[in-house]
Amino acid sequence: MILSELHLRNFRNYEDLTVHFAPGVNVLIGHNAQGKTNMLEAIYALSLTRSHRTNNNRELINWKHKSAAISGIVQKTSGRVPLELEFTSKGKRAKVNHLEQARLSTYVGQLNAILFAPEDLSLVKGAPALRRHFMDMEFSQMSSKYLYNAGQYRNLLRQRNKYLKQLKYGQQHDKVLLGVLSDQLAAYGAEVVIARYQFLKHLEKWASQLHKKISLNAEELKLYYATQLKLNEKTTVEQAYRELLGLYQSHIEWEIDKGTTMYGPQRDDIHFMVNGKNVQSFGSQGQQRTTALSVKLAEIDLMKEQTGEYPLLLLDDVLSELDTIRQTHLLTAFQDKVQTFLTTTSLNDVARQLIHQPKIFEIEHGTLSKGETQ
């Protein structure tokens, strides 16, 4: 898929901007705090209906105005798709082909994008919550079913945790309702866990190949889904549901005492193993970065495999964080494969040599120069 046109109205420091992109590599050059990352944020939001930098929609709206809008034209194998997204104080509105979507979940997946920023290099060594967020964001773009089940699970989890606290402090006494919430939570939790397990198996296939190439065949990467359930390739959703429900039922008093849900996908993690060793605990910084790079790049092929379309690749000032070898592998991995948006303060010699005819835009104070192909 290709984002051929983007229009921003009152989004961050862009008051009124229309830009046409190249199908290959689009380079956004400018000093810090000029609006480069804001541009990538807008593309990411057009894809997922949310920012990767804030949960407060008000921060996306130019301070002089009460609403902001992002619209774009996506070229897919099935044809041309106009997308529109509006942010107001009352919430968000999304349109596909000029038709408003009743639920945002029906909008997500129209435009798929992979964001790779410096903080993503902490995917391996960061907190488990970072890796759970990674799974939810990426897998939701590939499967509307996953997006729905994960959303339902989060809503029920909030309800169950609130009720557990009420039971703990004597504000409620009815454990029958807790049983109902546990049953519903286990049903959606099982769907999420099985989908994550299966997606990670597919992701491992692509990431392992890339990691081996970057390490010059010296390292083998494996991904393990660390969950409280006993899973294997034959585990069904029904089996996972019964096991998770059993954990809730057998630990009722403990969870009431804690005032929170102690089991389920909100406790899960990913373990990255290189040559049989956990790279998070025992790997060098170089191995951790190579692993993160391999996993992020593997998403490109995984999305193509799952959706039939290559996603957009958003690279937010990530070249400055990589050495020459990893820069080379990153830049050659997406050439002639995916439409790419790259922000940087300047293109170094490696990038200039490896990027084929980039369309370069200069950004200053929320304005873009006319893109030039070099």
Side-chain angles (χ1 to χ4, degrees):
M1 61 180 62
I2 302 295
L3 179 64
S4 59
E5 180 182 318
L6 180 72
H7 179 69
L8 304 181
R9 177 174 57 80
N10 305 328
F11 182 88
R12 295 284 193 181
N13 65 332
Y14 294 100
E15 292 198 43
D16 188 8
L17 175 72
T18 298
V19 56
H20 296 85
F21 295 117
V25 180
N26 298 273
V27 180
L28 309 174
I29 292 182
H31 297 297
N32 292 330
Q34 300 303 302
K36 302 189 305 296
T37 296
N38 293 348
M39 179 69 69
L40 292 197
E41 181 183 31
I43 298 172
Y44 185 88
L46 190 64
S47 169
L48 282 161
T49 75
R50 55 174 293 176
S51 165
H52 66 286
R53 301 158 75 191
T54 179
N55 291 321
N56 184 355
N57 291 334
R58 188 65 190 87
E59 294 179 19
L60 306 179
I61 303 171
N62 187 287
W63 64 275
K64 302 177 191 175
H65 302 276
K66 296 182 179 180
S67 67
I70 310 169
S71 59
I73 303 296
V74 181
Q75 306 290 344
K76 305 170 79 169
T77 54
S78 58
R80 178 179 179 273
V81 182
L83 299 178
E84 301 168 63
L85 187 63
E86 184 180 19
F87 297 92
T88 70
S89 58
K90 296 180 180 179
K92 293 176 277 193
R93 296 172 58 199
K95 294 182 180 180
V96 179
N97 278 323
H98 310 295
L99 298 175
E100 186 168 348
Q101 305 298 293
R103 296 192 306 273
L104 293 177
S105 59
T106 63
Y107 173 94
V108 175
Q110 298 294 330
L111 172 65
N112 293 331
I114 294 171
L115 174 70
F116 193 11
E119 56 264 28
D120 289 307
L121 292 168
S122 299
L123 179 66
V124 175
K125 65 179 180 180
L130 183 65
R131 291 180 285 279
R132 290 191 292 268
H133 179 76
F134 161 76
M135 288 189 283
D136 285 345
M137 289 298 98
E138 310 311 331
F139 300 161
S140 289
Q141 293 187 74
M142 301 179 211
S143 169
S144 57
K145 181 180 178 182
Y146 182 90
L147 176 63
Y148 175 78
N149 287 328
Q152 293 296 107
Y153 184 84
R154 283 192 295 271
N155 291 335
L156 283 164
L157 182 63
R158 283 193 289 269
Q159 293 177 42
R160 189 174 188 270
N161 284 342
K162 180 180 179 180
Y163 199 72
L164 283 168
K165 285 185 174 64
Q166 290 173 338
L167 288 170
K168 176 180 180 178
Y169 294 112
Q171 297 167 341
Q172 295 287 349
H173 301 89
D174 183 7
K175 292 182 182 178
V176 174
L177 178 56
L178 179 62
V180 173
L181 290 172
S182 299
D183 183 80
Q184 294 175 336
L185 192 67
Y188 286 110
E191 294 278 3
V192 171
V193 167
I194 294 297
R196 283 181 179 177
Y197 180 88
Q198 293 173 345
F199 273 126
L200 284 174
K201 283 294 181 184
H202 289 292
L203 184 64
E204 180 188 67
K205 176 183 68 175
W206 298 107
S208 180
Q209 295 173 17
L210 286 161
H211 193 97
K212 188 172 290 187
K213 183 178 179 181
I214 297 173
S215 67
L216 302 177
N217 294 318
E219 296 177 353
E220 182 179 17
L221 173 65
K222 294 286 186 183
L223 309 183
Y224 288 96
Y225 182 35
T227 177
Q228 297 155 315
L229 305 186
K230 300 177 179 66
L231 300 183
N232 58 53
E233 293 180 1
K234 295 182 180 180
T235 304
T236 65
V237 172
E238 177 66 21
Q239 289 170 330
Y241 155 72
R242 293 194 178 281
E243 184 179 354
L244 186 53
L245 182 60
L247 289 171
Y248 293 147
Q249 291 173 338
S250 59
H251 295 86
I252 289 176
E253 298 304 325
W254 185 44
E255 288 192 319
I256 291 174
D257 182 64
K258 292 291 184 181
T260 191
T261 302
M262 301 301 293
Y263 297 94
Q266 81 282 3
R267 301 279 174 177
D268 294 346
D269 199 355
I270 308 172
H271 291 167
F272 303 96
M273 310 297 289
V274 172
N275 292 345
K277 294 183 178 180
N278 190 322
V279 71
Q280 181 183 21
S281 302
F282 302 105
S284 65
Q285 184 183 59
Q287 286 178 317
Q288 292 173 347
R289 290 195 159 202
T290 297
T291 299
L293 179 59
S294 300
V295 170
K296 292 299 291 186
L297 290 178
E299 291 182 70
I300 296 173
D301 290 301
L302 178 60
M303 278 200 185
K304 175 63 165 61
E305 178 184 76
Q306 296 292 321
T307 69
E309 299 266 7
Y310 279 115
L312 275 55
L313 180 61
L314 314 178
L315 302 174
D316 189 14
D317 200 28
V318 76
L319 292 183
S320 62
E321 299 294 325
L322 299 172
D323 59 26
T324 301
I325 293 175
R326 292 179 181 86
Q327 279 188 38
T328 300
H329 281 287
L330 171 61
L331 295 173
T332 55
F334 61 72
Q335 287 289 348
D336 305 318
K337 183 183 286 188
V338 298
Q339 186 184 29
T340 303
F341 300 84
L342 184 156
T343 69
T344 182
T345 53
S346 64
L347 278 179
N348 61 24
D349 292 338
V350 174
R352 288 189 181 278
Q353 292 172 15
L354 293 175
I355 299 177
H356 303 159
Q357 297 184 318
K359 189 171 185 179
I360 296 180
F361 300 87
E362 292 188 5
I363 298 182
E364 185 175 3
H365 301 304
T367 61
L368 264 70
S369 66
K370 185 178 180 180
E372 297 181 358
T373 303
Q374 299 189 0

